[in-house]
Amino acid sequence: MRPLRALGAAALTIALTLTAACGGANEDSSSGRDGGSGGAITVQAANGTVTLPGVPKRIVSLSPTHTETLFAIGAGPQVVAVDQYSDHPANAPKTKLSGFKPNAEAVIGYKPDLVVLSDDMDGIVKALEKVKVPVLLEPAATRLEDAYDEIMDLGTATGRAEQARKLTDDMRRRIRQTVDAAKQAGASGGDPLTYYHELDEQLHTVTSKTFVGQVYALFGLRNIADDAQPSAGAYPQLSREHLLKSDPDLVFLADTKCCGQNAAAVGKRPGWSGLTAVKRGGVVELDDAIASRWGPRLPEFVQAIADAVRKASAAK
């Protein structure tokens, strides 16, 4: 599988390789976190207590999600390099650095005073710490609160705590309003709508135990993967027979950019033309990156689900 198919296949890759432990911002022990005093900054991350001598000026990000966050909280000018899959925002200083096969020597070449990543692949954390490069390990979120906590961690670490708080408050507000609006429109009335979230064309998907599954649960949707293969874990590969028998009301494609999937393509798959989602226009083409990351654009993912739920409820 290619390294980053975004919670399309990125979600699958991340979920299979990450230990989901998120640090919460330890603001009481942090000084200089808004770039004012210049004192030491302390953050409790997944790799333990990380102490920075001051606000970092040369940040390297090896995580697309964290790259988005750094720029969203105003820390973009402090970022000197990001990994090859950090495609948002467009002005992020993309390089050939990899978060999946990290090269400590290549990272050190950018003279970072902070490295941010979401996975400790190949022992990169210890390799960087060995040469006294501060590392902030913030793994893939497993709950919405984890996502907010990680944004606050990055805000604290970069002297942008206030900006991070404003961002998380805005995200919470937008998500709450979107979900409430869908409920007020009667989108959650009657029997719950069923859905399938596609990570790749081999029918890898997510269960309700995953971060993505919990986002869908905000709308009361029922995941057809939950009773498929309990032994397969949170990211099972469904059989075609199970999917066709389950006949989901909605099909969310998180493999549009990576794999060229769309409503027309899935409608041509054997047996799929008879699916309720296909017949009623319930195949939703997601942006792979937005559907794969737990950062600032999460409200856009929630909005896409809300729009689909309203449409499917009206057609039911």
Side-chain angles (χ1 to χ4, degrees):
M1 183 176 293
R2 283 183 285 180
L4 191 69
R5 287 190 174 180
L7 214 69
L12 181 60
T13 304
I14 292 172
L16 295 176
T17 57
L18 288 180
T19 300
C22 299
N26 186 354
E27 296 183 43
D28 292 338
S29 61
S30 303
S31 60
R33 57 183 180 273
D34 289 314
S37 68
I41 299 172
T42 302
V43 180
Q44 194 65 34
N47 56 317
T49 301
V50 178
T51 301
L52 306 173
V55 176
K57 297 180 180 179
R58 296 187 61 81
I59 302 171
V60 170
S61 171
L62 299 183
S63 162
T65 295
H66 299 328
T67 296
E68 291 192 19
T69 296
L70 288 167
F71 278 81
I73 62 176
Q78 298 159 252
V79 179
V80 296
V82 301
D83 72 288
Q84 65 190 111
Y85 295 111
S86 286
D87 55 7
H88 185 85
N91 62 330
K94 188 188 294 189
T95 68
K96 293 182 179 180
L97 293 176
S98 171
F100 288 87
K101 294 184 178 181
N103 182 310
E105 202 171 303
V107 172
I108 295 169
Y110 287 94
K111 300 180 181 179
D113 48 12
L114 176 64
V115 174
V116 180
L117 37 76
S118 58
D119 189 19
D120 185 16
M121 297 293 285
D122 299 330
I124 184 64
V125 172
K126 286 187 177 180
L128 293 173
E129 291 178 341
K130 187 176 181 180
V131 292
K132 308 301 181 183
V133 174
V135 180
L136 203 61
L137 177 61
E138 301 284 352
T142 58
R143 302 175 302 120
L144 280 170
E145 287 304 316
D146 293 340
Y148 301 136
D149 285 346
E150 293 196 359
I151 291 172
M152 288 305 303
D153 281 354
L154 292 179
T156 298
T158 60
R160 308 279 179 167
E162 184 57 31
Q163 293 94 322
R165 186 172 299 284
K166 288 180 179 179
L167 174 60
T168 56
D169 286 348
D170 181 64
M171 290 173 64
R172 292 177 194 270
R173 177 187 58 79
R174 291 172 61 192
I175 290 173
R176 182 176 61 253
Q177 289 179 344
T178 299
V179 174
D180 287 348
K183 290 180 177 179
Q184 290 174 7
S188 59
D191 294 332
L193 294 169
T194 57
Y195 78 95
Y196 159 66
H197 178 97
E198 180 165 290
L199 297 178
D200 61 31
E201 61 268 44
Q202 283 75 47
L203 305 188
H204 284 99
T205 186
V206 300
T207 67
S208 295
K209 295 181 180 179
T210 63
F211 178 82
V212 172
Q214 291 176 48
V215 175
Y216 284 111
L218 294 174
F219 296 91
L221 301 181
R222 185 169 66 81
N223 192 333
I224 68 166
D226 288 347
D227 58 357
Q229 300 176 32
S231 62
Y235 294 85
Q237 180 180 19
L238 300 184
S239 67
R240 185 167 68 92
E241 291 72 22
H242 176 82
L243 188 144
L244 295 178
K245 182 179 179 180
S246 299
D247 189 20
D249 296 300
L250 290 163
V251 170
F252 293 90
L253 301 176
D255 53 356
T256 57
K257 291 183 177 179
C258 73
C259 317
Q261 298 304 297
N262 53 45
V266 300
K268 296 177 182 178
R269 294 176 182 175
W272 280 58
S273 62
L275 289 179
T276 297
V278 174
K279 291 188 295 185
R280 295 181 179 176
V283 178
V284 183
E285 300 168 6
L286 299 171
D287 181 304
D288 296 21
I290 293 176
S292 77
R293 300 171 190 172
W294 56 100
R297 293 192 288 171
L298 180 59
E300 296 180 38
F301 179 35
V302 174
Q303 184 63 61
I305 298 172
D307 293 342
V309 168
R310 277 194 291 266
K311 180 179 178 180
S313 295
K316 195 168 183 180

